[in-house]
Amino acid sequence: MIDWKTHSLINYFHNKNSEVVLKLINNETKEIEYKKEEYSHYFFIESKDVEQTQIALKDFIFVQDNNNEMFHLQFDFRNEGKYTKVVTFFEGTPYLYSVIKEIIKHLDAHNIKHYECDLLPGDNLILSEDTQISNTYRILYYDIETKDTQGGVEIGRDRILSICAVDNQGKEYKFSYDNEKETLTDFMKIVENYDMLISWNGKKFDSPYLKARLKVNNILFSFKSIIEIDEMLVFMASFAVKVRSGQKFLTSYSLSNVAKNFINDDKLKLDDDSEGYGGKLWKLFNENRQKLIAYNLQDCRLLKRLDEEFHLIENEIELAKLVKAPLSKTRSLTSMIDFLIIREARKRNTHMISKMFKDEVSKQYAGGYVLDAVPGLYEKVHIFDFASLYPSIVRTFNLSFDTLLDTNFSGDCIVTPNNIKYSKTLGIVPAVMNELTELRLKYKNEQQELKDSGDSHKALLKEFQQTAVKVLILGLYGITGAPHSRLFNLSVAETTTLAGQALIKSVIQQLDSNGFKVVMSDTDSVAFQILDDSRLEEAKLLIKIAINKIVKDSNTSFTNYLRMEHEKILSKFIVLAKKKYVGLVIAE
């Protein structure tokens, strides 16, 4: 067991000895420590299915694809009440993920329901403990330059000419030798001393290219303990960046364009304004290597400056701490939500269905309601929007895979607008949404306090934190409707969208019947005329009445989180067709 009061997690990986290797930092000494834990793969089945599962898994043999090596798998069944824990044992070193996929495929073929079988041992280890994520990392910002005489980019085709790097303490490294192997060898020696490698567009270029050239030069290096982050992707996703810059999109997210737009800096120029293809880099390598190195090193400095200016990695660390998973997991919304949901399920002594590897036919369900357009020019149009419509529906009506009731249920329950019944016991999905929503509100309040006190640095961090939580909340709903998600349930997904339809239709009907001309509606908004300004409060009351009626009719016992907010007023509003309109805003 790890003492999470004295140690924090940087990353974890699996070795060939059926061990989970945890890369930890000692919170007091700041020294890096590695701890190995023997941890077998396991999954859960319902206890009523034990005999069937024992028969199905008897004499189970896994054959590894790359060499046809055979492994005899053994399974230990441990009763835990409603569920039975099934632990997998084998001798040798098969590729564990392939073993897991075969077990899932085999259980599916025998129609055995299984839970959390897709989780790797390391995932289970940190999910079973109160894992604390590190605040401190040794970060290396790096960039590579490659031979460019052939034109275009083909991963691993041409030799690497130069590798430069800057760490988060400002120390700079330059490697550019006649012999590529020497360049790579010396660079990898310093990589060993860092926890995180940061690049720009590295997911598509620098990282796969570097690994390809290491292979060509027969240099062995394990990246398992290293967290690799593509700063371009983090930058693009960072709401804090969008707000700070006042821009939502750029025509190009090249490092040059971003640096010019956001930190008033740029890459070094070569002979012209291009970024270095057509043989210029190869010429510099042979004739002016110091200029090539300066060009290469400037990119690394830009990476560090952008990170520090917008707190990109700092924000990622906060997100990882929230989810209680290493930064290697935070670039995947699905992974983050998995960790949140599975933790909540285990608090309730229940387990989540395994994530499937097989292809599934896409399941279609009803979407949002959009009013048929009546083209024309309208004056004094007010737009009202639901605040977080679908998450609010989930919380208000307690929609979750574990609260869905049989259609024949006759007890006290919630009945949604599409006549689907749900339990009044708080479900796993709305419970996590409630927790995240409370956290987001806390961050928003702290952000405002910091703004008021003039601490813009910490306010910006809180801004990202609360928005990152919002992304998790919306993602949690979205994944509920994704067929490949472990949370997917067609009835729950459709209930959510149909409840949204019912709410919008109820608001439209209430407004129309009281003399307000509705000219447009979308999934979560309505636009209607208020020709007499004194009727605005009346319109707000009518909207509230319409929403409350839907909620009351459902017999829910949970708080009504559904709110429509007055977003803007338009002096002129032109409707061209469904979802096609333009207006002149006069108030927001």
Side-chain angles (χ1 to χ4, degrees):
M1 293 286 290
I2 308 297
D3 185 348
W4 296 112
K5 293 180 181 178
T6 61
H7 290 75
S8 298
L9 180 67
I10 291 176
N11 204 3
Y12 64 90
F13 58 93
H14 302 82
N15 65 19
K16 292 184 177 180
N17 299 320
S18 298
E19 294 171 322
V20 177
V21 182
L22 298 107
K23 187 176 185 179
L24 306 165
I25 185 168
N26 186 304
N27 297 332
E28 294 181 2
T29 67
K30 302 303 178 185
E31 292 182 354
I32 301 299
E33 300 175 13
Y34 289 88
K35 184 174 178 59
K36 295 179 181 179
E37 296 271 358
E38 290 188 8
Y39 219 78
S40 299
H41 168 258
Y42 62 79
F43 60 95
F44 298 89
I45 58 169
E46 294 177 20
S47 292
K48 64 181 179 61
D49 295 330
V50 167
E51 185 176 349
Q52 181 188 357
T53 308
Q54 287 174 331
I55 294 170
L57 295 178
K58 186 180 180 182
D59 301 323
F60 189 97
I61 296 175
F62 168 73
V63 180
Q64 193 141 276
D65 286 340
N66 62 342
N67 58 11
N68 291 322
E69 187 176 359
M70 296 174 62
F71 298 87
H72 294 266
L73 273 57
Q74 301 294 321
F75 299 92
D76 184 28
F77 292 78
R78 304 173 186 178
N79 186 281
E80 296 185 354
K82 178 183 176 181
Y83 298 96
T84 290
K85 184 177 183 179
V86 184
V87 185
T88 309
F89 296 99
F90 49 81
E91 292 185 1
T93 56
Y95 182 51
L96 182 57
Y97 217 56
S98 295
V99 172
I100 290 171
K101 291 175 73 172
E102 283 302 309
I103 293 172
I104 289 177
K105 183 179 178 181
H106 195 72
L107 293 172
D108 287 344
H110 287 80
N111 296 314
I112 297 169
K113 199 168 185 179
H114 48 89
Y115 302 83
E116 299 167 16
C117 190
D118 59 295
L119 296 181
L120 290 166
D123 302 334
N124 272 318
L125 177 59
I126 69 166
L127 280 165
S128 64
E129 299 184 8
D130 186 22
T131 309
Q132 299 303 308
I133 303 300
S134 176
N135 275 316
T136 307
Y137 298 84
R138 301 167 301 172
I139 301 173
L140 191 67
Y141 306 88
Y142 82 102
D143 182 64
I144 67 173
E145 303 297 344
T146 64
K147 187 176 179 181
D148 59 339
T149 54
Q150 296 191 60
V153 176
E154 183 180 317
I155 297 298
R157 180 189 63 194
D158 305 307
R159 66 157 292 180
I160 290 176
L161 304 178
S162 173
I163 308 177
C164 288
V166 180
D167 71 13
N168 52 326
Q169 302 302 315
K171 187 173 182 179
E172 297 183 345
Y173 300 94
K174 311 164 192 176
F175 305 98
S176 182
Y177 310 140
D178 291 340
N179 185 299
E180 182 190 32
K181 188 169 186 176
E182 290 181 16
T183 298
L184 292 168
T185 300
D186 281 6
F187 176 65
M188 299 319 297
K189 284 178 182 177
I190 71 160
V191 171
E192 292 176 344
N193 301 316
Y194 292 90
D195 309 311
M196 196 181 302
L197 277 178
I198 309 292
S199 54
W200 192 268
N201 195 31
K203 186 175 182 179
K204 289 186 176 180
F205 180 71
D206 298 78
S207 179
Y209 209 109
L210 175 62
K211 291 170 184 175
R213 296 308 297 178
L214 288 172
K215 187 174 182 180
V216 168
N217 285 274
N218 296 312
I219 299 172
L220 299 178
F221 186 88
S222 174
F223 287 83
K224 285 185 175 181
S225 71
I226 306 292
I227 298 168
E228 297 185 78
I229 293 183
D230 186 335
E231 189 175 304
M232 185 183 78
L233 298 180
V234 178
F235 184 92
M236 290 169 68
S238 173
F239 184 83
V241 170
K242 295 173 186 176
V243 171
R244 172 75 76 87
S245 67
Q247 299 180 48
K248 288 193 175 182
F249 304 101
L250 290 175
T251 54
S252 166
Y253 280 94
S254 70
L255 183 57
S256 176
N257 197 40
V258 169
K260 283 188 288 188
N261 276 276
F262 293 94
I263 57 174
N264 195 31
D265 206 341
D266 198 358
K267 296 165 68 78
L268 291 184
K269 297 302 179 185
L270 298 176
D271 297 331
D272 52 36
D273 290 335
S274 67
E275 292 191 8
Y277 292 110
K280 288 189 292 294
L281 296 179
W282 179 241
K283 183 177 180 181
L284 284 175
F285 180 73
N286 290 294
E287 299 177 8
N288 191 348
R289 197 168 302 183
Q290 288 308 307
K291 185 172 182 179
L292 172 66
I293 291 171
Y295 174 80
N296 191 182
L297 187 59
Q298 171 67 358
D299 286 4
C300 304
R301 291 169 177 163
L302 293 176
L303 284 174
K304 184 173 183 290
R305 280 196 60 197
L306 283 165
D307 180 22
E308 292 172 345
E309 177 73 14
F310 294 107
H311 319 292
L312 298 170
I313 303 305
E314 186 179 0
N315 295 334
E316 289 292 296
I317 291 169
E318 290 301 315
L319 194 55
K321 287 164 61 180
L322 168 64
V323 179
K324 293 191 174 183
L327 274 78
S328 54
K329 301 287 185 180
T330 60
R331 296 314 309 149
S332 166
L333 183 61
T334 302
S335 292
M336 288 192 288
I337 290 172
D338 270 355
F339 276 97
L340 289 169
I341 287 292
I342 292 170
R343 282 187 189 278
E344 177 64 27
R346 290 186 178 184
K347 287 179 189 175
R348 300 165 177 238
N349 296 316
T350 190
H351 295 284
M352 298 298 301
I353 198 74
S354 303
K355 190 180 294 182
M356 299 294 125
F357 292 100
K358 63 184 181 181
D359 294 330
E360 292 189 12
V361 176
S362 178
K363 297 179 173 68
Q364 299 295 320
Y365 55 93
Y369 176 72
V370 180
L371 183 71
D372 287 337
V374 180
L377 171 63
Y378 302 91
E379 296 181 345
K380 291 188 175 182
V381 172
H382 292 243
I383 295 181
F384 280 72
D385 276 348
F386 273 103
S388 302
L389 175 60
Y390 288 152
S392 297
I393 288 171
V394 169
R395 297 173 71 204
T396 301
F397 300 118
N398 198 35
L399 307 185
S400 188
F401 64 92
D402 57 317
T403 61
L404 182 63
L405 298 172
D406 187 89
T407 54
N408 296 321
F409 183 82
S410 58
D412 185 29
C413 65
I414 300 166
V415 183
T416 59
N418 61 328
N419 292 314
I420 304 297
K421 299 176 181 178
Y422 290 84
S423 167
K424 289 192 171 183
T425 301
L426 182 63
I428 290 174
V429 173
V432 173
M433 277 192 178
N434 288 344
E435 188 176 328
L436 291 173
T437 303
E438 289 174 10
L439 183 61
R440 185 188 174 208
L441 182 60
K442 173 177 175 289
Y443 286 154
K444 288 183 76 172
N445 291 337
E446 290 173 351
Q447 177 192 349
Q448 190 58 52
E449 290 173 4
L450 289 164
K451 278 184 177 179
D452 294 342
S453 68
D455 194 336
S456 58
H457 171 87
K458 289 184 178 178
L460 188 64
L461 179 58
K462 290 298 176 185
E463 180 176 43
F464 178 86
Q465 287 176 309
Q466 65 95 358
T467 309
V469 175
K470 178 182 178 180
V471 170
L472 283 174
I473 294 169
L474 294 173
L476 183 53
Y477 158 70
I479 286 174
T480 302
H484 291 280
S485 165
R486 72 174 82 247
L487 291 178
F488 177 73
N489 184 291
L490 186 60
S491 293
V492 175
E494 192 158 67
T495 295
T496 308
T497 54
L498 289 177
Q501 286 191 20
L503 286 159
I504 287 289
K505 289 177 181 178
S506 180
V507 168
I508 292 172
Q509 183 181 14
Q510 190 72 248
L511 291 168
D512 273 344
S513 62
N514 284 276
F516 293 94
K517 173 66 176 175
V518 177
V519 298
M520 181 278 294
S521 82
D522 211 328
T523 301
D524 60 353
S525 62
V526 293
F528 57 96
Q529 288 181 297
I530 304 181
L531 299 176
D532 181 352
D533 293 341
S534 66
R535 297 192 69 190
L536 176 59
E537 293 305 314
E538 178 190 352
K540 290 180 180 179
L541 180 60
L542 290 171
I543 289 171
K544 187 174 182 180
I545 289 171
I547 294 170
N548 288 345
K549 182 179 186 307
I550 296 289
V551 174
K552 183 180 180 181
D553 289 348
S554 74
N555 191 38
T556 183
S557 56
F558 293 93
T559 301
N560 178 6
Y561 295 103
L562 293 156
R563 302 282 185 276
M564 284 201 97
E565 299 174 347
H566 191 194
E567 185 190 353
K568 57 175 67 82
I569 306 171
L570 302 103
S571 60
K572 305 289 183 183
F573 188 64
I574 302 172
V575 178
L576 303 173
K578 185 181 286 189
K579 285 184 174 286
K580 292 184 178 180
Y581 36 80
V582 63
L584 178 62
V585 178
I586 57 172
E588 289 188 272

